[in-house]
């Protein structure tokens, strides 16, 4: 077959908290095959619950690293069963839960370099890990966070340099805890990987570099110079830490060709390219093809906002990361009151029907005659605040109760206004090319999307091609990096989406004042420390 007409496919993985997923896409970026391993169910011998193990110490949450290796053996076999022809895969990449760390014992890189195609990975790498992997759900490092912030000149300075204040789940404080409480593990560790770079290592047969985007979730990387921050490293380990981490690389990097193990065992081409793996949120941004000035809106249990940014401001809340694609930076904002809160109040106001709820909305006008509401059924992360409910009338006076139709609109408008206000706090600027790209369960609700279109004064598009944006993003990144390296244009590279909601001409006049009112309201609600 001549080179141009040979079938080309791309493989993506997502090492998420509860499962490992894989997807093969073609040149149109259409899904060809998928496979999935659920840790608790398929690998019960590791005794995980939800993919993790809760430790004896308060807030400790880890995952047995070998579980992920064994899951890869399994998912590869499932891809074989699904009929994947590995010889058509031009490039592969992956996404992984952010912040978790992998502790490679001394001598591990040599084992990675000499994998035999006759055996499973997990039997050959069984003795490679110095400790279980602390994961993003761990919250046991509050003291380490304080120490890190102090060493770098305070929380604002740490946020300016690394893109985030110190967070318990971020890798820097996790490393500091290991250094402090288990010095022998630290000393015996050859290299420290993120879950993403660890997973990439399994494909390249050497310790893969940390990519800049996922590396921004460590509180250790200077996101401006794109180098490790000396003071932060010193605060979290000793003089060997920089070499344990290795130099970070841009996310759109081909790390190397796939290692011979996969050629022998599965029939991959020996020149199949392995593109640096990255964090799941970074990968989701890639799946939505977000450019600077675009907003990715994932409407799930909680609402996550992904923003493409031209430059990096010091974020008061949320996180700024080096961008995984063309936008130089990205922001990540996670609002804990999302779909669950919307549903609770729908049920309270009209029962379990979105149709009935949307009828209520239709009975009100945009701007809700000045009635506003903030609904936190659960403690909120952005801003950090306790659960509560605050209602106001048009004059800014607190209201105890509103008629159901006003409550319905106050809830949704309040959420959309909060998303825009906090996006702007991160340095996000709307421009004429801006758009909101919505995903997730609630993105089918066009009444909700119309409110987002008006509040952001920008059209809303829906990405419904695939439910799992991080997984699809992994395969798309493999395709895009391969395409730019080889100079080959791929048919899937131009997303074909059409807007599902567009703003009314008076949207900015109605909602701009509400943004100011929202900022005033949140100044006065009880904050968590
Ligand atoms: C992001 C975070 C989570 C994990 C989940 O900061 O901690 O979204 O990436 O996999």
């Amino acid at each position: 077959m001549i080179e141009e007409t040979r079938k080309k496919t791309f493989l993506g993985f997502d090492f998420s908290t509860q499962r490992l997923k894989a997807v093969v896409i073609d040149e149109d970026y259409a899904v060809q095959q998928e496979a999935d391993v659920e840790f608790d169910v398929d690998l019960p011998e590791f005794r995980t619950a939800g993919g993790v193990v809760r430790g004896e110490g308060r807030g400790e949450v880890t995952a047995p690293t070998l579980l992920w290796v064994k899951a890869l053996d399994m998912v590869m076999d499932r891809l074989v069963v699904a009929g994947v022809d590995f010889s058509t895969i031009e490039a592969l990449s992956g996404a992984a839960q952010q912040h978790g760390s992998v502790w490679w014992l001394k001598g591990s890189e040599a084992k990675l370099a000499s994998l035999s195609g006759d055996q499973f990975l997990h039997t050959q790498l069984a003795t490679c890990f110095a400790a279980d992997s602390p994961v993003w759900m761990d919250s046991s490092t509050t003291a380490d966070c304080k120490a890190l912030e102090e060493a770098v000149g305070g929380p604002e300075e740490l946020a300016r340099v690394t893109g985030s204040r110190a967070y318990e789940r971020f890798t820097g404080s996790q490393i500091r805890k290991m250094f402090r409480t288990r010095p022998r593990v630290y000393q015996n560790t050859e290299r420290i990987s993120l879950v993403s770079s660890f997973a990439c290592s399994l494909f390249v047969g050497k310790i893969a570099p940390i990519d800049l985007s996922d590396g921004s979730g460590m509180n250790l990387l200077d996101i401006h110079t794109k180098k490790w921050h000396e003071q932060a490293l010193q605060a979290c380990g000793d003089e060997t830490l920089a070499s344990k981490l290795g130099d970070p690389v841009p996310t759109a990097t081909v790390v190397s060709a796939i290692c011979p193990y996969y050629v022998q065992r599965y029939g991959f081409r020996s020149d199949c390219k392995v593109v640096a793996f990255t964090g799941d949120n970074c990968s989701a941004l890639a799946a939505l093809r977000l450019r600077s000035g675009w907003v990715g809106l994932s409407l799930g249990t909680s609402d996550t906002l992904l923003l493409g940014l031209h430059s990096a401001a010091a974020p008061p809340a949320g996180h700024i990361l080096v961008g995984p694609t063309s936008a130089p930076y990205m922001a990540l904002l996670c609002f804990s009151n999302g779909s669950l809160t919307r549903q609770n109040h729908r049920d309270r106001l009209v029962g379990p029907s979105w149709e009935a709820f949307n009828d209520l909305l239709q009975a009100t006008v945009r701007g809700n005659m000045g009635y506003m509401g903030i609904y936190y059924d659960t403690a909120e992360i952005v801003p950090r605040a306790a659960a509560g409910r605050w209602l106001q009338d048009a004059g800014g006076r607190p209201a105890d109760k509103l008629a159901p139709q006003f409550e319905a609109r106050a809830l949704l408008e309040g959420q959309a206004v909060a998303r825009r206000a906090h996006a702007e706090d991160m340095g996000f600027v709307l421009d004429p090319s801006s758009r909101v790209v919505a995903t997730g369960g609630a993105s089918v609700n066009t009444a909700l999307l119309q409110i987002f279109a008006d509040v952001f004064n920008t059209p809303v598009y829906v990405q419904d091609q695939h439910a799992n944006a991080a997984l699809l993003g992994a395969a798309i990144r493999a395709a895009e990096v391969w395409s730019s390296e080889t100079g080959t244009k791929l048919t899937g590279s131009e997303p074909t989406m059409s807007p599902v909601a567009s703003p009314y001409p008076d949207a900015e006049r109605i909602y701009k004042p509400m943004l100011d009112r929202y900022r005033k309201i949140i100044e006065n609600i009880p904050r968590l420390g």
Side-chain angles (χ1 to χ4, degrees), residues 13-15 18-22 35-37 39 68 71-72 75:
F13 293 91
D14 181 15
F15 287 72
Q18 303 197 25
R19 44 176 31 95
L20 169 57
K21 287 158 282 186
D36 175 330
V37 169
F39 302 146
W68 297 327
L72 177 56
V75 94

Side-chain angles (χ1 to χ4, degrees), residues 44-62:
E45 64 273 32
F46 289 95
R47 297 170 179 271
T48 54
V52 299
V53 177
R54 291 181 193 270
E56 278 156 28
R58 213 169 142 251
E60 278 181 0
V61 185
T62 58

Side-chain angles (χ1 to χ4, degrees), residues 7 30 43 126 189 241 243 249 290 302 331 414 427 483 487 500 508:
K7 186 177 173 201
L43 293 159
T189 293
L241 185 51
S243 60
V249 297
L290 289 194
S302 52
S483 158
V500 289
E508 193 70 352

Side-chain angles (χ1 to χ4, degrees), residues 372 413-422 455 511 514-515 518:
M372 280 188 75
E413 287 188 343
Q415 288 189 335
V417 164
R419 308 304 179 253
R420 177 166 166 187
H422 293 287
V455 168
Y511 290 105
M514 282 174 70
L515 283 166
Y518 167 78

Side-chain angles (χ1 to χ4, degrees), residues 42-157:
D42 292 316
L43 293 159
E45 64 273 32
F46 289 95
R47 297 170 179 271
T48 54
V52 299
V53 177
R54 291 181 193 270
E56 278 156 28
R58 213 169 142 251
E60 278 181 0
V61 185
T62 58
T65 316
L66 198 62
L67 160 74
W68 297 327
V69 181
K70 203 164 180 186
L72 177 56
D73 286 324
M74 266 181 137
V75 94
M76 289 305 298
D77 283 350
R78 289 183 183 180
L79 287 171
V80 173
V81 173
V84 173
D85 174 359
F86 294 99
S87 73
T88 65
I89 294 170
E90 298 286 348
L92 69 86
S93 190
Q97 53 173 296
Q98 294 198 257
H99 317 299
S101 49
V102 167
W103 297 75
W104 296 97
L105 264 179
K106 288 190 173 145
S108 297
E109 189 150 36
K111 291 198 179 119
L112 274 174
S114 56
L115 293 169
S116 152
D118 299 335
Q119 292 172 42
F120 283 118
L121 290 170
H122 73 269
T123 51
Q124 301 184 71
L125 301 176
T127 57
C128 278
F129 306 107
D132 284 345
S133 291
V135 296
W136 65 279
M137 294 163 79
D138 186 286
S139 60
S140 66
T141 60
T142 308
D144 301 282
C145 287
K146 292 238 156 45
L148 172 57
E149 285 181 340
E150 266 165 38
V152 170
E156 286 84 16
E157 181 59 10

Side-chain angles (χ1 to χ4, degrees), residues 393-404:
D393 67 15
R397 285 173 293 264
D400 281 345
K401 215 170 175 297
L402 302 180

Side-chain angles (χ1 to χ4, degrees), residues 262-312:
Y262 295 86
V263 180
Q264 291 159 17
R265 194 171 174 96
Y266 299 104
F268 277 84
R269 292 157 53 93
S270 57
D271 63 352
C272 171
K273 293 185 196 314
V274 180
V275 174
F277 284 33
T278 191
D280 47 8
N281 293 298
C282 323
S283 186
L285 181 127
L288 302 181
R289 277 29 106 69
L290 289 194
R291 311 201 179 135
S292 299
W294 290 23
V295 182
L297 174 68
S298 162
L299 297 163
T301 308
S302 52
D303 287 350
T304 304
L305 222 60
L306 300 170
L307 309 167
L309 297 178
H310 290 288
S311 59

